[in-house]
Amino acid sequence: MTLPLKNIGLFAVMGLLLLYTGMSESWNTALGLVNMCLISAIMALGVNLQWGFAGLFNVGVMGFVALGGLAAVLVSHAPVGEAWRAGGFGVIVALLTGAATIVLATMIMKRKAHSRARTLAMLTVLLGGFLLFRALFDPSVLAIESVNPAATGFLGGLGLPIMLSWPVGGLLAAGAAWVIGKTALGLRSDYLAIATLGIAEITIAILKNEDWLTRGVKNVAGLERPVPYEVDLQNSPAFVERASWLGIDAVEASTLFVKANYSVLFAAVLVVLLVMAQLALKSPWGRMLRAIRDNEVAAEAMGKDVTARHLQVFILGSAICGLAGAMMTTLDGQLIPGTYQPLRFTFLVWVMVIVGGSGNNFGAVLGGFLIWFLWIQVEPLGHWLMSWITAGMADGNALKEHLLESAAHMRLLTMGLVLLLVLRFSPRGLIPEK
């Protein structure tokens, strides 16, 4: 896994940008950027696995990230006992009824020959199962959501350590990817993109509207952390004394310490995933995936099961995105379904992969760092730039007001400009595939 000097130089420049941010703004800002850059790099690795290795055009990234966020709530939030007593059992029975209905309808479709009797039996099972599901589900949900809706109004989770939600988020996303892949991977690439985007929108709509599960738009806050709380550190005489010895205010030192702890955890996950991705890339499995990506017809002629390999890599890439989603919710300490915007942030992750270098794991990591850094830093830089440009204009000038109001759009302008420049001068990305 040796890196050429050019690649080392690119990562060094990225590190210098983060160091400059710490020295010119604050180290809290720099560490906050590092943490989100690490999570973004993990998301980019997942998408690179699907697109760079296998050529799968997945536009439902945010749906899998949102499932990871849901896992953080289901695993770490304390169970709401009163809500469980009010309607928890009814919801479980209703969900099992819905699943049984689908299984029974599938069995009828597979085991009976095509006929009018089969169609009638399927319709009877589906309609009867739906009516029974709603009869059990609706009153249970109303009972749950009426339990102290200002503070809870949902079932809660298992009350386990939140770091357990990271692998659970990956498994939850992998399960959803299996269901999606079994139905959508046979589609052409453009239809696959439409299907995955639609499924992502459905997933996020469920998180926004099913209050009994996620509190919907009321959000879930106060999730447990895997690192110490700032208040506890500030109340620790030993920590305060150590911060004083270093010449740092205890409040600032506590926030730096917490963010540095997150950085260590996230960096450890990224390194493990990067090593595994590199090993997979250089393995016979990885070479087979790239052969399928380059020429599916030739790979099928050589006896390779293209659909099965596509399903494998689709599940693995989605699981990595789900893991990243659980990590992001852990960092925030809350689940806010409204922040998952498939078109906006899926585009951002794709820019990370394309700019970094599709098919190169180190390129995906570099793209994750660079694009997130620009996404955050360009907006204040845009305000400064517009203020400088309009400094000589009189207050109240229509052009001045327009330019100052347009500074917020510098983010999107910069992303487009970076993408165009990279595609023009380095079409295969900053660190291209070998």
Side-chain angles (χ1 to χ4, degrees):
M1 294 192 351
T2 56
L3 286 173
L5 287 177
K6 174 200 168 185
N7 301 351
I8 294 172
L10 288 170
F11 278 102
V13 170
M14 189 67 244
L16 289 174
L17 287 173
L18 292 168
L19 284 173
Y20 178 75
T21 302
M23 291 186 290
S24 62
E25 298 181 32
S26 73
W27 292 109
N28 267 310
T29 300
L31 279 174
L33 272 171
V34 167
N35 287 332
M36 278 306 300
C37 285
L38 289 166
I39 293 173
S40 299
I42 292 172
M43 289 185 200
L45 270 180
V47 173
N48 185 57
L49 192 64
Q50 295 172 336
W51 172 251
F53 281 36
L56 296 178
F57 193 24
N58 174 19
V59 194
V61 176
M62 280 300 110
F64 299 111
V65 172
L67 287 173
L70 173 63
V73 173
L74 297 180
V75 169
S76 68
H77 197 285
V80 183
E82 189 177 350
W84 274 101
R85 290 189 291 273
F89 179 73
V91 165
I92 296 298
V93 172
L95 293 175
L96 291 174
T97 300
T101 300
I102 294 171
V103 170
L104 184 57
T106 304
M107 290 174 61
I108 292 172
M109 183 179 69
K110 287 183 175 180
R111 296 189 179 183
K112 290 186 176 294
H114 180 69
S115 63
R116 185 176 297 176
R118 187 186 77 166
T119 303
L120 183 61
M122 284 182 60
L123 289 174
T124 302
V125 167
L126 290 172
L127 181 60
F130 176 76
L131 294 174
L132 180 58
F133 169 78
R134 300 304 305 189
L136 293 168
F137 186 74
D138 291 347
S140 300
V141 165
L142 288 175
I144 291 167
E145 293 177 354
S146 64
V147 175
N148 192 13
T152 54
F154 77 130
L155 292 173
L158 300 175
L160 299 172
I162 196 166
M163 283 188 67
L164 291 177
S165 70
W166 298 6
V168 172
L171 289 173
L172 196 58
W178 181 83
V179 174
I180 296 166
K182 292 293 283 186
T183 56
L185 281 181
L187 300 174
R188 219 172 58 194
S189 60
D190 47 353
Y191 294 126
L192 176 64
I194 295 168
T196 51
L197 177 61
I199 291 163
E201 291 284 3
I202 291 169
T203 301
I204 293 166
I206 291 172
L207 296 188
K208 287 181 179 178
N209 293 286
E210 297 299 327
D211 287 13
W212 63 274
L213 182 65
T214 64
R215 297 197 76 225
V217 294
K218 293 181 285 187
N219 308 329
V220 179
L223 297 175
E224 291 295 325
R225 298 160 117 187
V227 299
Y229 285 89
E230 290 87 348
V231 174
D232 295 336
L233 293 171
Q234 293 161 23
N235 292 329
S236 168
F239 182 84
V240 173
E241 182 182 351
R242 195 174 300 115
S244 177
W245 180 77
L246 292 170
I248 307 174
D249 178 69
V251 175
E252 183 181 1
S254 64
T255 57
L256 289 173
F257 183 78
V258 168
K259 288 180 178 178
N261 273 269
Y262 276 123
S263 297
V264 171
L265 289 174
F266 296 162
V269 174
L270 176 59
V271 168
V272 170
L273 289 175
L274 182 57
V275 170
M276 293 173 67
Q278 281 296 102
L279 292 174
L281 182 66
K282 296 178 179 180
S283 69
W285 180 80
R287 291 192 291 271
M288 175 179 62
L289 282 176
R290 285 184 289 176
I292 291 172
R293 177 198 64 189
D294 294 337
N295 195 325
E296 285 189 19
V297 176
E300 280 185 317
M302 295 178 68
K304 306 301 181 184
D305 190 339
V306 173
T307 303
R309 300 293 81 76
H310 277 172
L311 183 60
Q312 283 179 352
V313 78
F314 187 70
I315 290 171
L316 288 172
S318 301
I320 292 173
C321 291
L323 169 65
M327 293 167 66
M328 187 163 63
T329 301
T330 302
L331 178 65
D332 295 337
Q334 57 185 347
L335 175 68
I336 308 176
T339 59
Y340 298 108
Q341 300 178 31
L343 278 175
R344 184 178 187 182
F345 291 110
T346 295
F347 163 77
L348 200 62
V349 177
W350 272 93
V351 171
M352 293 173 186
V353 174
I354 294 168
V355 168
S358 175
N360 190 305
N361 294 313
F362 288 101
V365 171
L366 177 66
F369 271 78
L370 177 62
I371 297 303
W372 185 260
F373 177 85
L374 293 175
W375 181 256
I376 297 300
Q377 292 295 90
V378 157
E379 186 172 357
L381 182 62
H383 282 287
W384 173 84
L385 180 62
M386 291 303 176
S387 299
W388 179 76
I389 291 173
T390 59
M393 299 181 185
D395 292 338
N397 183 290
L399 178 60
K400 180 177 182 177
E401 290 182 357
H402 173 72
L403 289 174
L404 290 174
E405 290 172 0
S406 301
H409 302 295
M410 285 292 290
R411 278 179 167 179
L412 299 176
L413 174 65
T414 304
M415 291 303 105
L417 184 61
V418 168
L419 189 57
L420 285 172
L421 288 173
V422 170
L423 290 176
R424 170 62 182 84
F425 296 104
S426 183
R428 298 172 60 209
L430 295 175
I431 305 180
E433 179 184 8
K434 293 181 179 180

